[in-house]
Amino acid sequence: MAGLGLYLGPPSGRQFFHRPTGRFCDGRLYIDFVCERLKMSYLTPYLESSPGSNFTHGVNFAVAGAATESTAIPFPLSTQVLQFLHFKNRTRELRPQGGSGSGSLLSEKEFQNAVYSIDIGQNDVSTPFSANLSYAEVVVKIPSILSRIRAAIELLHQNGGRQFWIYNTGPLGCLPQKLALLKKDDSELDPLGCLADLNSAAKAFNAGLSELCDLLRSEFKNATIVYTDVYAIKQDLIANHTKYGFENPLMACCGYGGPPYNYKFRMTCGEPMVTACAEGSRYISWDGVHNTEAANSIIASKILSAKYSRPQIKLKGLCKG
């Protein structure tokens, strides 16, 4: 949000921080829970210029709405990697100077031992559907998306990265936003009530990403590349929502319009006249696109379990400082 100069106001952040923090959530994101459970401080966004930036445990280069290629959001994956390289070089320049801020600078060993986490592709796959492209027109774009992800991993490896944690994309056809805006009739839905074509495109992307990780493992014998199945994690939350204590699995907590999806274009969470569900309600979707803190807590637990990862290596085992 900071990089785009946008302010995300209430009710975001109401659940844990009790104030807006720039997160598209009522509280913590899954990466926040991962940091907590690994006993790390939250990752400071690279583009956040506010005082108190702390890079001791890493940096977050993610930008809301970004894709692997340049879109209306001018921070594609390639730019994020270049920002990382700039950050690394600048850290090297500043470290010898010491001073009061040097304690929050990453050491050379920490760069070598870092886990390079990549969670991108969602917008590349879902946005074309919003532009009325067909399933066939979307899937032909997947090889190009994967080639950009490959180029990013190769450049990070070339610059010393040896541990990579790659997330696939979730069931995009289950997002309340997509259901509200794209569904024409129920024939387009799968058994979970999600848009079948969008979910099929997500699965096709994930299959390609899994193959890419296999290929890179064979090429980079000195690297660890873990592929984590977020699709399975999120699909399980929706399919078995009552087991997890959730209600209305395809409906946004914060939105406008009520059932079935509580989402309306240009009347999204944070806008005047838009209200959120009661605090303590158990929803999976916060704003029609992003998950609630309650869902993120479960997602983080499943990520850390390694049961959804290949190879089944625990993230904790890679984060040894």
Side-chain angles (χ1 to χ4, degrees):
M1 293 300 294
L4 300 173
L6 301 176
Y7 173 71
L8 185 64
S12 68
R14 69 178 188 176
Q15 191 65 27
F16 176 78
F17 302 100
H18 306 298
R19 58 179 176 82
T21 62
R23 292 165 170 83
F24 282 95
C25 185
D26 55 337
R28 289 162 287 186
L29 308 176
Y30 81 80
I31 188 62
D32 295 321
F33 284 107
V34 168
C35 288
E36 283 182 8
R37 291 164 194 177
L38 294 176
K39 296 181 168 47
M40 295 164 46
S41 58
Y42 298 143
L43 299 183
T44 296
Y46 175 73
L47 294 171
E48 179 58 73
S49 60
S50 301
S53 294
N54 180 358
F55 301 125
T56 307
H57 290 119
V59 196
N60 187 351
F61 293 88
V63 178
T68 62
E69 65 178 338
S70 189
T71 59
I73 307 299
F75 295 99
L77 179 58
S78 58
T79 298
Q80 293 176 34
V81 174
L82 292 176
Q83 288 173 335
F84 163 74
L85 295 177
H86 174 80
F87 170 79
K88 185 176 182 181
N89 290 330
R90 189 73 178 126
T91 299
R92 282 174 169 163
E93 293 169 2
L94 293 173
R95 202 185 294 123
Q97 299 176 22
S100 59
S102 61
S104 66
L105 296 176
L106 291 168
S107 68
E108 203 62 29
K109 183 181 178 183
E110 286 170 327
F111 276 112
Q112 293 169 4
N113 294 338
V115 176
Y116 293 84
S117 175
I118 297 177
D119 183 356
I120 202 163
Q122 298 89 336
N123 294 315
D124 295 87
V125 175
S126 66
T127 301
F129 280 98
S130 298
N132 292 318
L133 268 68
S134 68
Y135 169 80
E137 290 170 319
V138 173
V139 293
V140 296
K141 295 175 176 288
I142 290 175
S144 297
I145 301 169
L146 295 171
S147 70
R148 290 187 284 269
I149 294 174
R150 175 175 182 152
I153 296 171
E154 288 177 338
L155 187 53
L156 290 170
H157 182 268
Q158 182 183 325
N159 283 273
R162 293 296 180 267
Q163 301 189 124
F164 298 90
W165 196 273
I166 313 298
Y167 296 97
N168 72 9
T169 196
L172 303 172
C174 299
L175 298 177
Q177 178 210 52
K178 298 303 179 189
L179 284 160
L181 298 180
L182 301 180
K183 189 187 86 169
K184 296 181 179 66
D185 59 65
D186 288 351
S187 66
E188 300 172 298
L189 304 181
D190 65 16
L192 289 181
C194 306
L195 291 165
D197 278 358
L198 197 41
N199 275 357
S200 294
K203 290 177 184 176
F205 167 77
N206 290 342
L209 185 63
S210 178
E211 290 175 8
L212 173 61
C213 289
D214 291 341
L215 182 63
L216 292 175
R217 276 190 215 101
S218 67
E219 290 183 13
F220 301 149
K221 302 293 187 183
N222 61 348
T224 299
I225 301 173
V226 179
Y227 170 86
T228 298
D229 193 356
V230 174
Y231 189 103
I233 292 172
K234 292 186 175 181
Q235 185 182 51
D236 174 55
L237 273 186
I238 294 166
N240 301 299
H241 60 277
T242 53
K243 181 178 88 172
Y244 297 104
F246 289 114
E247 52 190 302
N248 304 316
L250 303 180
M251 183 170 158
C253 164
C254 183
Y256 186 87
Y261 308 122
N262 197 36
Y263 186 93
K264 186 173 182 181
F265 184 58
R266 297 194 187 282
M267 293 196 73
T268 54
C269 190
E271 296 288 334
M273 306 296 293
V274 176
T275 58
C277 59
E279 289 200 52
S281 299
R282 297 280 292 180
Y283 279 69
I284 294 173
S285 178
W286 167 242
D287 56 7
V289 178
H290 308 92
N291 295 118
T292 59
E293 175 176 281
N296 284 330
S297 177
I298 296 170
I299 291 166
S301 295
K302 290 180 179 290
I303 289 169
L304 290 168
S305 76
K307 292 177 182 176
Y308 294 85
S309 295
R310 198 182 77 252
Q312 287 196 344
I313 297 172
K314 289 197 173 186
L315 185 54
K316 185 178 181 180
L318 299 181
C319 299
K320 294 179 179 176

